[in-house]
Amino acid sequence: MNRVRNVNAAGLVMTLLLAWLVVYPILIVVLEAANGPGAWSEFFTRAGEWAALWASVWISLASVALAAAIGIPLAFLFEWFDFPGRRTLGALIALPVVLPPLVGVIAFLFLYGESGFVTRALQTLLGLEQAPWRLQGPLAILLVHAYSMYVYFYLFTRAGLAKLDVSMLEAAQALGAGRRATLWRVIVPLLRPSLVGAAILTFMTALGSFSAPYIFGGGFRVMTTQIVATKLNGDLPLAMVETVALAVVAVVGLAILRRRKATTCSWRWGRASHRSAGRSVAGARGCSRRARGGDSRSCCCFRI
Amino acid sequence: MSGFLEIQAIEKRWGHGVTVGPITLDIARGEILALLGPSGSGKTTMLRLLAGFETADGGRIAVATEDVTNVPPARRRCGMVFQHYALFPHLDVGQNVGFGLPGSNARDAKVTAALNLVDLSGFERRKVHELSGGQQQRVALARALAPEPRVLLLDEPLSNLDPTLRERTRRELRQLIKRVGITTVFVTHEQEEAFDLGDRVAVLNAGHLEQTGSPEELYEHPSSLFVASFVGRANVFRGAAARALGLTRADYVLVVRPERLRFGDAGLPGVVRERRYTGAAAFFQIEGDDGQRFEVLAEPDGAQVGARVYVEATRVIALPDEAGRR
């Protein structure tokens, strides 16, 4: 009885905490935005607002694509192949996830900014009068995003690969599927929930990213920098409307991606216990590593 | 004799001195061969060598006279059923079965035919996770058979099923394989399964082939103490007890199956220590005068616990004493 009472009390405390920390700020923003009808019309009629919103969307989508392009191959490399220093390098590669976003941005500035270490070194080496590049605008933002966000794809994909049942890959091979066919017909569909999860996280982080666009954006505005600029100009109602607009984009994006994840996950939940009974690719890699002692040709996970 | 599937001195060396082989086996067209052995005996490695998932360090594998030793699994045309079936959870039953079939008009017909073969007609659109263990096993079999492979490989195919279902599935599986007429190699660590399903049984121990033969040959004429003890129940007699049962050579042991021992008026003396009733018969554990314990399979009322009995052997197998050699 006491236990039930304690659980109920804990539930109530958590609900109040959530209401205070999450619901209340959202409510305030929405109410503030609703109180300024002029701000809404201003938001809808000003081209700069739409441009910033669109910039946020496409920068986020491009960040997802770039982060995937870097993180997924790295995950395959570090999960499936064995080479000297793999473990240490694998841990270092995941480092951006523990760094605050601003640290990454400042590191980029110190290395590749106009007065950055690498930029200056190259300028001196090539005898150039000016810096060889200007780290500014959307490309610079994308570069920083790709650096700081590939780690989501890297970690999610590695976790997905570690859980893959090697016998499914072998089954595909036994059924005549080559390396490419196995990748596209078996591995990618099985990894889809992990990939969608990484995409959601990357998209949301990129959408809310402030430090990279603020420092490297130059004249290029995304919604987060636009909100701060509007607030600094003293137009708080418009800033609230901009915040709501960005939140709406985030919620829509989340809903689309989560729906995609839900459809790909339905079979996973049904098979979780069965899959765990099988051997994982990580286990198979252990097998090939064991084999390395006596046979360097042996690779039991992907011999096609 | 040259078989349809020829395994000639095939060998696989792992690190730390662990070796499987060299093993030589010939398997006739349409034959079912069971690879039987304890854990770590190398039976799964053998199956994986046949499938092409492991590279052989020596020897040769040929299917229908074609050397496939270095042919990758995708082009080896060996159907394989995995221990946990390895069905693709993102595909439905029909897509799973059709996975190895080329995209053509005949594909659907072949999928239907394969599902008919395993009594799963109309299951094409079912999700894999909706099926029972037995149904999943049959889908895995249909998937392996659909591309019409030359050899069927089964890795402990019944180990995931409950005992009642396993016995029935074993019979059905044998009937199906015989109906298709495909050359089959399967791995098991259960003697009953190997005897029921296989035409011949190859017993492996510590990476080496101990003996190959029909179930009856293995049971009645084991070539080593390991085979005698691993295949069926066996009482191993040494010393005075062995001599009392007729053994003359000192470096040999006597193996007697429990059903080949009977209570009599004379013979090996002992005391009944335990009785395990199994229905039609009972196992009596006897402690001989020299302290050796052995089992007698006799009628349930053959003896009482605590009674002094004399045991005679109706058939004995004399084998070199492997423990003595070590």
Side-chain angles (χ1 to χ4, degrees):
Chain A
M1 196 68 183
N2 276 346
R3 203 169 168 183
V4 174
R5 208 173 292 153
N6 286 345
V7 169
N8 285 342
L12 186 69
V13 170
M14 287 301 290
T15 309
L16 288 173
L17 210 62
L18 267 173
W20 178 45
L21 294 174
V22 180
V23 181
Y24 177 66
I26 293 173
L27 213 63
I28 288 291
V29 170
V30 172
L31 286 174
E32 285 285 338
N35 280 341
W40 281 102
S41 62
E42 200 179 343
F43 176 81
F44 284 118
T45 50
R46 269 171 57 172
E49 300 293 338
W50 287 104
L53 195 62
W54 170 237
S56 278
V57 172
W58 82 255
I59 282 278
S60 301
L61 290 173
S63 300
V64 170
L66 274 175
I70 299 167
I72 295 171
L74 278 176
F76 274 88
L77 179 70
F78 280 86
E79 193 57 38
W80 275 8
F81 296 91
D82 206 10
F83 48 88
R86 175 179 153 271
R87 197 170 282 212
T88 315
L89 274 174
L92 282 174
I93 271 185
L95 205 60
V97 82
V98 296
L99 293 176
L102 191 62
V103 174
V105 173
I106 297 295
F108 253 81
L109 193 65
F110 281 139
L111 283 170
Y112 309 110
E114 263 179 277
S115 312
F117 176 75
V118 176
T119 319
R120 280 287 174 88
L122 262 177
Q123 191 180 344
T124 313
L125 203 71
L126 300 173
L128 301 172
E129 282 186 11
Q130 286 184 328
W133 58 71
R134 287 187 71 201
L135 200 63
Q136 224 168 46
L139 281 178
I141 298 169
L142 279 176
L143 198 67
V144 178
H145 278 185
Y147 162 78
S148 54
M149 292 170 201
Y150 78 83
V151 74
Y152 300 136
F153 274 94
Y154 170 72
L155 291 175
F156 275 60
T157 310
R158 264 197 88 165
L161 285 173
K163 279 193 291 180
L164 260 190
D165 184 351
V166 70
S167 56
M168 284 192 201
L169 312 187
E170 288 176 345
Q173 292 172 55
L175 290 164
R179 195 186 290 262
R180 195 173 293 176
T182 306
L183 178 70
W184 290 111
R185 294 179 68 189
V186 180
I187 299 171
V188 170
L190 290 176
L191 282 181
R192 199 168 291 159
S194 303
L195 299 179
V196 174
I200 288 175
L201 203 57
T202 309
F203 182 80
M204 291 300 159
T205 312
L207 202 64
S209 167
F210 173 74
S211 46
Y214 184 71
I215 291 173
F216 294 111
F220 182 78
R221 288 253 173 103
V222 294
M223 212 60 213
T224 48
T225 49
Q226 181 74 11
I227 291 166
V228 172
T230 308
K231 189 177 177 297
L232 287 176
N233 287 335
D235 196 347
L236 198 61
L238 182 58
M240 292 298 180
V241 172
E242 288 167 348
T243 307
V244 170
L246 187 62
V248 167
V249 170
V251 169
V252 169
L254 185 67
I256 292 170
L257 286 167
R258 276 186 69 106
R259 204 172 151 173
R260 184 123 189 88
K261 192 177 182 185
T263 52
T264 56
C265 274
S266 58
W267 52 262
R268 282 221 141 193
W269 295 327
R271 294 272 298 173
S273 61
H274 183 72
R275 206 179 51 252
S276 64
R279 292 181 308 128
S280 71
V281 176
R285 201 196 49 237
C287 153
S288 70
R289 215 180 289 150
R290 182 184 57 185
R292 264 190 330 132
D295 171 22
S296 58
R297 289 174 300 154
S298 178
C299 174
C300 55
C301 66
F302 221 3
R303 190 178 160 261
I304 297 175
Chain B
M1 182 189 88
S2 73
F4 179 73
L5 173 59
E6 295 171 63
I7 304 164
Q8 291 169 358
I10 205 79
E11 196 174 3
K12 177 73 188 172
R13 285 186 293 273
W14 301 108
H16 320 295
V18 182
T19 305
V20 174
I23 288 170
T24 298
L25 268 171
D26 279 331
I27 301 149
R29 187 188 288 270
E31 187 183 12
I32 305 176
L33 180 90
L35 291 174
L36 176 69
S39 299
S41 60
K43 53 191 190 300
T44 300
T45 302
M46 270 300 295
L47 199 77
R48 293 176 62 79
L49 282 163
L50 293 176
F53 298 132
E54 303 289 354
T55 316
D57 290 310
R60 177 177 177 271
I61 299 168
V63 180
T65 69
E66 182 202 340
D67 188 341
V68 296
T69 319
N70 294 310
V71 173
R75 287 194 276 118
R76 209 171 266 213
R77 288 184 57 204
C78 288
M80 182 139 175
V81 176
F82 292 82
Q83 191 175 359
H84 301 287
Y85 316 133
L87 296 175
F88 305 124
H90 58 290
L91 303 179
D92 62 26
V93 168
Q95 288 166 329
N96 261 284
V97 175
F99 190 94
L101 298 171
S104 67
N105 295 336
R107 185 181 178 149
D108 287 349
K110 282 186 175 177
V111 169
T112 308
L115 285 172
N116 281 344
L117 199 67
V118 295
D119 280 339
L120 286 178
S121 312
F123 275 62
E124 283 88 343
R125 299 277 76 85
R126 291 273 195 100
K127 297 284 175 198
V128 167
H129 65 260
E130 292 169 0
L131 306 180
S132 69
Q135 287 170 334
Q136 287 185 10
Q137 197 251 8
R138 283 189 276 161
V139 172
L141 190 63
R143 185 180 69 174
L145 290 173
E148 296 171 12
R150 294 184 293 186
V151 177
L152 180 64
L153 306 171
L154 309 165
D155 186 5
E156 308 215 17
L158 307 173
S159 62
N160 264 358
L161 306 178
D162 60 65
T164 330
L165 187 62
R166 198 181 302 173
E167 204 178 318
R168 202 184 69 207
T169 310
R170 202 188 290 155
R171 283 198 303 273
E172 289 171 358
L173 188 60
R174 185 177 164 83
Q175 283 167 6
L176 194 148
I177 292 170
K178 285 296 172 189
R179 201 160 68 233
V180 176
I182 188 168
T183 310
T184 303
V185 179
F186 79 98
V187 157
T188 181
H189 59 266
E190 285 189 23
Q191 174 235 318
E192 203 182 329
E193 197 170 297
F195 277 23
D196 236 14
L197 200 51
D199 295 323
R200 265 194 314 150
V201 180
V203 182
L204 287 133
N205 178 32
H208 295 284
L209 183 64
E210 289 273 343
Q211 190 178 354
T212 312
S214 67
E216 202 171 334
E217 276 169 19
L218 292 179
Y219 193 77
E220 300 294 347
H221 307 287
S223 64
S224 66
L225 188 53
F226 173 80
V227 176
S229 320
F230 190 74
V231 175
R233 288 168 177 269
N235 296 304
V236 182
F237 294 98
R238 291 184 171 86
R243 281 194 297 279
L245 290 169
L247 183 71
T248 51
R249 291 185 61 168
D251 55 342
Y252 271 55
V253 293
L254 215 57
V255 173
V256 190
R257 304 288 183 196
E259 71 275 14
R260 303 291 190 192
L261 287 171
R262 69 176 182 208
F263 298 118
D265 298 330
L268 190 62
V271 177
V272 180
R273 292 295 178 208
E274 199 183 309
R275 175 179 171 269
R276 275 183 292 116
Y277 179 72
T278 61
F283 281 98
F284 295 90
Q285 193 174 72
I286 316 293
E287 188 179 338
D289 287 353
D290 60 353
Q292 271 192 68
R293 285 193 176 223
F294 55 93
E295 274 185 335
V296 177
L297 182 67
E299 284 185 7
D301 55 356
Q304 299 290 320
V305 174
R308 184 158 181 85
V309 290
Y310 291 90
V311 175
E312 298 171 332
T314 56
R315 192 177 185 285
V316 296
I317 307 160
L319 291 166
D321 190 356
E322 288 168 14
R325 278 190 312 199
R326 286 183 203 119

